[in-house]
Amino acid sequence: MTDAAAPANAPTSPPARKSEPPRWAMLLLRVRGLLLSGAFAAIVYGALTHASRSACPAQTGDVSAAQCQTYTLGPSWIVVAAMAVAFFVGLGAAARRPDPLAALRSLDRTRVVIISIALGSIVISLVWFWMLPVQQVLDQGGSLWFPFPFGAVTSDFTTTG
């Protein structure tokens, strides 16, 4: 029996698999990559945004006890929330794209934004923290104000002497 004589409803062999995955699979892989890189950026931000500084006033002859101050920098929830907002906004923007390639580009841009938020916040918070005039404020009086969203600062006062 030849192929020409085969009945019309006879099963045919499955089509050959393409070497390229379907576009929806590429989108899912890119979303997974975005989620993993966003989680990694948040972990790196949390691990590298730590610093501590201490200062004690200059001792004078009539002071028997000095109040030393310790400031500690840690990660801010605002930065982590900003990365999460960027993730969800990027997913929404990718979902609204009619072309799968445009959606992939949107997800790639979102990845760059999330990583930029993390790296920028690390650098800005550490530079800002080390530029605080802790000793000058302690010696001359006054207080430090921390309205800074890139890192959270806590202070601790101890009495020595």
Side-chain angles (χ1 to χ4, degrees):
M1 185 169 189
T2 64
D3 288 281
N9 61 359
T12 59
S13 62
R17 289 192 63 121
K18 296 179 182 178
S19 61
E20 182 180 314
R23 290 192 174 165
W24 62 267
M26 290 173 56
L27 284 170
L28 287 177
L29 289 172
R30 197 67 58 94
V31 169
R32 182 184 71 178
L34 176 63
L35 183 62
L36 291 175
S37 63
F40 183 72
I43 290 169
V44 168
Y45 166 73
L48 295 181
T49 309
H50 288 284
S52 180
R53 293 180 67 189
S54 295
C56 294
Q59 291 286 350
T60 59
D62 58 345
V63 176
S64 62
Q67 188 174 21
C68 297
Q69 298 177 353
T70 301
Y71 296 96
T72 306
L73 172 69
S76 172
W77 66 270
I78 296 172
V79 174
V80 177
M83 288 190 277
V85 167
F87 175 78
F88 288 114
V89 168
L91 280 182
R96 288 189 299 274
R97 303 281 188 240
D99 180 28
L101 293 177
L104 290 174
R105 284 191 303 270
S106 178
L107 292 174
D108 289 341
R109 280 188 225 112
T110 302
R111 180 182 310 209
V112 169
V113 167
I114 291 171
I115 292 172
S116 298
I117 289 171
L119 293 178
S121 295
I122 291 168
V123 171
I124 292 169
S125 66
L126 289 174
V127 168
W128 167 77
F129 185 74
W130 288 109
M131 291 180 67
L132 286 174
V134 174
Q135 190 65 46
Q136 290 88 349
V137 168
L138 189 59
D139 289 340
Q140 299 169 2
S143 61
L144 292 173
W145 187 51
F146 305 107
F148 205 65
F150 298 104
V153 177
T154 58
S155 59
D156 184 33
F157 301 97
T158 58
T159 304
T160 61

